[in-house]
Amino acid sequence: MYLYDKYQEWKDKIRKGKDIYKLLISHLKENNLDVLLEADNLKLQLSYLKKHADITTLKPATGYLRKKQIDLLKFAEEFFGDIKELNICPFLIGGNLIGAIRHKGYVPWDDDLDFGLMREDYEKLIAYCKEKYIVEVYTGNWLGYTSEIHTGRMDKAVSQHPNQYILDIWIDQIQITRGTSCVDRMAIDFWAFDYFKDDYSFESHKLYLQELQKRKIEINQIDKIIEFLNNERVNNTNICSEDTENIYFGIDNVGAYDKLNMNNRWIRKNTLLPLRKMDFENVQFWAPNDPLEFMKDDYPDFMEFPKEFGLSPHEGYQNEYMIKNLPTVEFYLVDAFEIYHFLPFYYVFEKSGIYSRFVAEPVESNTSHSWFDYDNAVMILDQLGVRYSGKCNENCDYVFTTQDAIILKKYKGKKIHLPYGFALIQNGYFDSERAIKGFDIKLVHGDYSYDLLKEKNLKPLLVKIGYPKWIASYNMIPYHESEEEDNYQNLVKMQTKPVLVYFPTWGERASIKTYAHTITKLKETFFVVTKAHHCTFRLESEKENLELLYKISDLVLEGNYDFRKAALMGNIALCDVISGAAAEVPLLNRNVKLVLVAPSQKENIVLRDFVLDFAYYAKDSETLYKILCDNVYEDVHRAFRNKKLTEIYGNLQEEELNELVSLIKSKEK
């Protein structure tokens, strides 16, 4: 090891009284080699883990990789359903068979599906696919073929034939793929197995494979190699169509060549056949009759930790291709709450051939510094199964933030500002200089916002997007309701009093202390539910406000409680006029009676010109009490407000993002 070698060099100095620790630190500083010390420690830790851990008890993958695994499994089930009439038996092999034996599913770091087929079934599948699907056969050189060329070729194929099954015929396998681009493309591989004559020796076959390998290199052209191997297989009398006791990888199966120096015997017929069913992620797939015996030659050490432990076999080169060849977008996080605002863009970009990912840099490197709730953000990203990185790509084409442009100071590409929502006050953040300066693109919701900013002749390009966060709520984001949340809703439904839902903001501008006495008094008439701001829950500075909310409310919903469900709970919504909730709540609940309160009697705020026609407005406690207790359900503002909301936010449709998608794709590399 490196540090041991340095110790040998320093022996004389140490004998003369030099401090080895000081020698080490000095050397590391001079040569910037602290990373080597860390690497040595990691090697020791990994060695310890491998020695003491049981590989069969590893937890499944998480996050994006887990989602990819499950999506691929569904893809395989759909395809097998589509070819059901063939009555063929694809069986688990390679890493997937290892996974079935060791983990009852995927190897935790795996990201593909491989199946073997006996020759008769293999040819049936090819013939069927040629008749029913798109067929790809590459005609270029074999020796110069790279992972980048392959990813690009498949990207082009699925882009030209979106969401159609495509058969790719290769020299040592076939692949079924489907998608709209390399961003969402899925594929499963099939590998041929043949019978071989009982009197044909395995040593003779190994020599034959060596000759075939030389001939393949000489031919070099892919389609010509495929033709050559087909002719060899048909004309070789040692390769049988009838049952024999000897089975092995076909000569058009990469396993035959990869394992030349590993295997020394045939696969015995009773090892592979008859096939049996095995559990794989709670799905039953065919597998070898004796899977443990089958794996002895294929992967003799498969019950031990492999060298590639923890490394996804394909993710590296695929990501490299996408970053190099596709428009790239990053969502730079400084708050976990932002994830749900960026998420619909991620989903739309995913199916539009745009490579996007979230960036959750740890606190020590995040440009917001101590503000970022890193652990919570990573937990949410893993739950959602989306791509994310702990380090930004400063050269990505576009980067999003909901904050000031200074947050994106690491980036060289186009900077995009995404508003959380729309402010009903003129001196709010939405159209302030901070939310505009330094950006190349300013996203706006609807016509009202667009016209408002257009008049200012601003530098950023204005692009309308609707309100994607709530497009996602209806169509895209899976929401998992907890038992506690279910109980909250049942409690609210049981009330005989009208339900008042209070949406205060956080910090010094919150209305909590100003109206606490009045809200307490209102509990006589209303069942008061408070949807606390997420900052109120997580910041120590908000402790006093949070305690007060529990005192004045019948029910307090946590900061991460589903906002739409909170909005739909109430007959009446009480919102701070300075908060984005003031326009967002009535957008989600068109029948709610909206009452707005000023943050404090001292603060000078300027309302938008339509606000007094949009909702009831109270500047003091007396007015608030009167508005709420006189004609509780009456709402003279509803018709105007609902019309205005469409003008402010546009339509809650995915098509609202088409302009932005077209803009980003127009800059394709």
Side-chain angles (χ1 to χ4, degrees):
M1 287 168 57
Y2 173 83
L3 293 179
Y4 179 79
D5 295 336
K6 296 309 297 181
Y7 171 76
Q8 300 303 313
E9 292 180 24
W10 294 337
K11 272 184 178 179
D12 288 341
K13 293 181 180 180
I14 294 167
R15 288 193 189 104
K16 293 176 182 178
K18 290 285 187 181
D19 186 324
I20 186 172
Y21 178 77
K22 289 182 179 178
L23 283 170
L24 176 61
I25 296 300
S26 175
H27 177 75
L28 292 177
K29 286 182 177 178
E30 288 173 9
N31 296 277
N32 194 27
L33 294 174
D34 56 316
V35 66
L36 292 174
L37 177 61
E38 183 179 348
D40 280 345
N41 287 336
L42 287 174
K43 285 179 182 177
L44 290 172
Q45 288 176 299
L46 184 58
S47 177
Y48 183 89
L49 174 65
K50 286 185 174 182
K51 184 176 180 180
H52 294 278
D54 180 354
I55 196 169
T56 66
T57 62
L58 292 179
K59 295 178 181 178
T62 58
Y64 177 72
L65 177 56
R66 184 60 176 167
K67 181 180 184 299
K68 187 176 179 181
Q69 290 175 345
I70 299 306
D71 287 348
L72 186 57
L73 186 67
K74 291 177 182 175
F75 172 64
E77 289 186 279
E78 289 173 12
F79 177 70
F80 289 153
D82 205 64
I83 62 169
K84 188 175 181 180
E85 65 186 81
L86 290 179
N87 198 29
I88 62 175
C89 298
F91 52 90
L92 295 168
I93 58 172
N96 299 122
L97 183 56
I98 292 174
I101 298 169
R102 278 197 329 222
H103 312 285
K104 303 296 183 186
Y106 285 101
V107 172
W109 52 88
D110 202 4
D111 61 355
D112 65 355
L113 276 178
D114 294 329
F115 293 93
L117 282 170
M118 294 307 297
R119 177 63 62 181
E120 183 180 356
D121 285 353
Y122 191 76
E123 295 302 322
K124 273 187 186 179
L125 179 60
I126 291 176
Y128 183 88
C129 292
K130 283 183 174 180
E131 181 181 345
K132 300 287 186 179
Y133 307 140
I134 307 298
V135 178
E136 280 281 321
V137 181
Y138 187 61
T139 58
N141 290 341
W142 180 40
L143 297 181
Y145 197 78
T146 64
S147 297
E148 182 175 357
I149 293 174
H150 178 72
T151 307
R153 187 167 73 86
M154 291 294 95
D155 182 32
K156 182 179 179 181
V158 295
S159 297
Q160 291 176 342
H161 309 285
N163 293 318
Q164 297 184 56
Y165 288 122
I166 298 171
L167 168 68
D168 182 40
I169 301 177
W170 196 243
I171 61 174
D172 49 27
Q173 68 175 93
I174 59 174
Q175 184 179 87
I176 294 293
T177 190
R178 188 179 70 187
T180 60
S181 75
C182 60
V183 180
D184 65 357
R185 183 178 78 90
M186 288 180 286
I188 47 179
D189 298 326
F190 296 90
W191 314 80
F193 287 75
D194 280 308
Y195 292 103
F196 294 84
K197 274 191 174 181
D198 290 326
D199 59 357
Y200 178 45
S201 76
F202 193 77
E203 285 303 315
S204 297
H205 188 61
K206 288 178 73 171
L207 292 173
Y208 175 57
L209 289 172
Q210 290 173 4
E211 291 301 315
L212 290 181
Q213 188 74 343
K214 291 177 184 176
R215 187 74 183 100
K216 284 157 61 180
I217 292 171
E218 291 172 359
I219 298 171
N220 196 23
Q221 191 174 329
I222 300 290
D223 55 334
K224 299 297 183 184
I225 295 174
I226 293 171
E227 183 181 354
F228 163 72
L229 291 175
N230 280 338
N231 288 334
E232 279 290 318
R233 182 178 54 78
V234 170
N235 295 318
N236 189 332
T237 56
N238 290 312
I239 303 173
C240 308
S241 56
E242 70 274 9
D243 293 2
T244 65
E245 292 303 312
N246 298 332
I247 295 175
Y248 201 61
F249 308 103
I251 63 172
D252 51 355
N253 179 330
V254 68
Y257 305 91
D258 281 355
K259 301 178 188 302
L260 265 175
N261 298 320
M262 181 189 303
N263 294 349
N264 292 300
R265 60 177 183 173
W266 301 109
I267 300 168
R268 303 302 291 169
K269 179 182 176 182
N270 62 0
T271 298
L272 180 57
L273 303 172
L275 297 173
R276 53 174 282 196
K277 287 290 182 80
M278 285 187 74
D279 281 334
F280 188 92
E281 301 290 349
N282 297 316
V283 176
Q284 291 267 302
F285 284 127
W286 291 111
N289 178 49
D290 188 344
L292 294 176
E293 183 66 23
F294 186 86
M295 296 309 299
K296 279 184 180 178
D297 288 329
D298 208 4
Y299 293 92
D301 300 324
F302 76 95
M303 291 303 287
E304 298 177 10
F305 285 92
K307 289 181 179 179
E308 69 275 11
F309 165 55
L311 300 177
S312 178
H314 307 106
E315 187 176 7
Y317 73 78
Q318 290 174 346
N319 283 346
E320 186 178 335
Y321 172 86
M322 289 188 281
I323 290 171
K324 183 177 178 181
N325 294 281
L326 301 182
T328 52
V329 172
E330 290 193 350
F331 309 105
Y332 192 83
L333 298 174
V334 301
D335 195 320
F337 184 72
E338 297 172 306
I339 293 170
Y340 296 101
H341 288 268
F342 293 138
L343 197 58
F345 293 91
Y346 172 88
Y347 285 138
V348 170
F349 293 163
E350 184 86 353
K351 62 183 182 182
S352 301
I354 297 169
Y355 178 78
S356 65
R357 66 181 186 180
F358 293 82
V359 175
E361 291 193 326
V363 172
E364 57 269 21
S365 54
N366 193 285
T367 53
S368 71
H369 305 299
S370 60
W371 172 261
F372 186 37
D373 185 3
Y374 172 81
D375 291 338
N376 191 38
V378 167
M379 179 189 71
I380 293 170
L381 293 169
D382 278 335
Q383 287 174 346
L384 291 168
V386 295
R387 287 191 192 87
Y388 71 90
S389 173
K391 183 175 174 55
C392 76
N393 169 20
E394 63 181 25
N395 295 310
C396 76
D397 300 314
Y398 296 89
V399 57
F400 283 65
T401 185
T402 64
Q403 309 299 312
D404 300 352
I406 190 64
I407 289 292
L408 306 179
K409 62 185 179 182
K410 297 181 182 181
Y411 288 92
K412 299 174 183 176
K414 300 283 187 183
K415 298 175 175 62
I416 301 177
H417 186 263
L418 171 68
Y420 273 144
F422 181 78
L424 297 180
I425 59 173
Q426 293 188 36
N427 51 339
Y429 181 70
F430 167 76
D431 51 351
S432 68
E433 184 178 354
R434 287 174 52 198
I436 295 167
K437 187 177 179 181
F439 289 102
D440 300 284
I441 298 172
K442 171 75 174 178
L443 302 180
V444 296
H445 299 301
D447 292 336
Y448 183 89
S449 308
Y450 184 87
D451 294 340
L452 185 71
L453 294 176
K454 192 72 173 175
E455 291 176 3
K456 298 185 178 184
N457 295 316
L458 303 171
K459 178 192 171 185
L461 175 66
L462 301 178
V463 179
K464 284 188 279 191
I465 55 167
Y467 200 176
K469 178 184 173 185
W470 297 118
I471 298 172
S473 172
Y474 298 132
N475 304 322
M476 300 148 106
I477 301 175
Y479 178 73
H480 303 291
E481 188 171 74
S482 71
E483 185 177 342
E484 187 176 45
E485 289 173 338
D486 205 32
N487 291 336
Y488 289 162
Q489 291 170 58
N490 290 334
L491 178 62
V492 170
K493 289 174 183 176
M494 290 168 57
Q495 300 309 311
T496 55
K497 297 178 182 178
V499 177
L500 170 68
V501 186
Y502 178 34
F503 294 86
T505 188
W506 68 285
E508 295 179 358
R509 305 180 79 198
S511 62
I512 300 168
K513 293 176 183 176
T514 304
Y515 297 98
H517 177 74
T518 305
I519 294 173
T520 302
K521 190 178 177 182
L522 287 168
K523 286 170 70 176
E524 299 172 3
T525 307
F526 299 93
F527 182 79
V528 177
V529 179
T530 296
K531 168 65 171 72
H533 194 280
H534 67 100
C535 288
T536 307
F537 262 93
R538 74 180 181 89
L539 298 181
E540 184 65 26
S541 59
E542 289 293 293
K543 187 176 181 181
E544 187 179 348
N545 272 342
L546 183 59
E547 289 175 353
L548 187 53
L549 286 180
Y550 276 105
K551 289 179 182 178
I552 68 174
S553 311
D554 293 299
L555 172 64
V556 176
L557 305 174
E558 290 83 353
N560 61 358
Y561 185 85
D562 185 76
F563 189 89
R564 182 173 68 93
K565 292 182 181 295
L568 292 170
M569 274 185 181
N571 307 110
I572 297 149
L574 178 61
C575 302
D576 285 6
V577 72
I578 64 169
S579 168
E584 192 172 359
V585 170
L587 175 72
L588 299 172
N589 186 349
R590 295 299 182 110
N591 294 315
V592 77
K593 178 177 180 177
L594 181 62
V595 181
L596 307 174
V597 290
S600 72
Q601 295 179 21
K602 297 178 182 178
E603 184 171 359
N604 180 31
I605 61 169
V606 181
L607 302 178
R608 305 258 183 220
D609 57 11
F610 62 82
V611 172
L612 296 181
D613 294 319
F614 188 82
Y616 294 91
Y617 180 58
K619 289 185 177 181
D620 54 65
S621 295
E622 185 179 341
T623 306
L624 175 62
Y625 190 82
K626 182 175 175 57
I627 289 171
L628 287 170
C629 292
D630 289 355
N631 299 316
V632 171
Y633 295 107
E634 182 184 39
D635 187 359
V636 299
H637 303 290
R638 183 173 293 132
F640 173 84
R641 182 172 62 247
N642 285 336
K643 181 180 178 182
K644 197 69 180 177
L645 283 168
T646 301
E647 189 182 342
I648 292 171
Y649 282 114
N651 296 313
L652 300 182
Q653 300 295 325
E654 188 179 318
E655 288 73 22
E656 292 275 3
L657 291 173
N658 286 349
E659 182 182 353
L660 180 63
V661 169
S662 297
L663 174 67
I664 291 176
K665 286 186 70 73
S666 70
K667 307 296 182 183
E668 285 191 90
K669 299 174 184 179

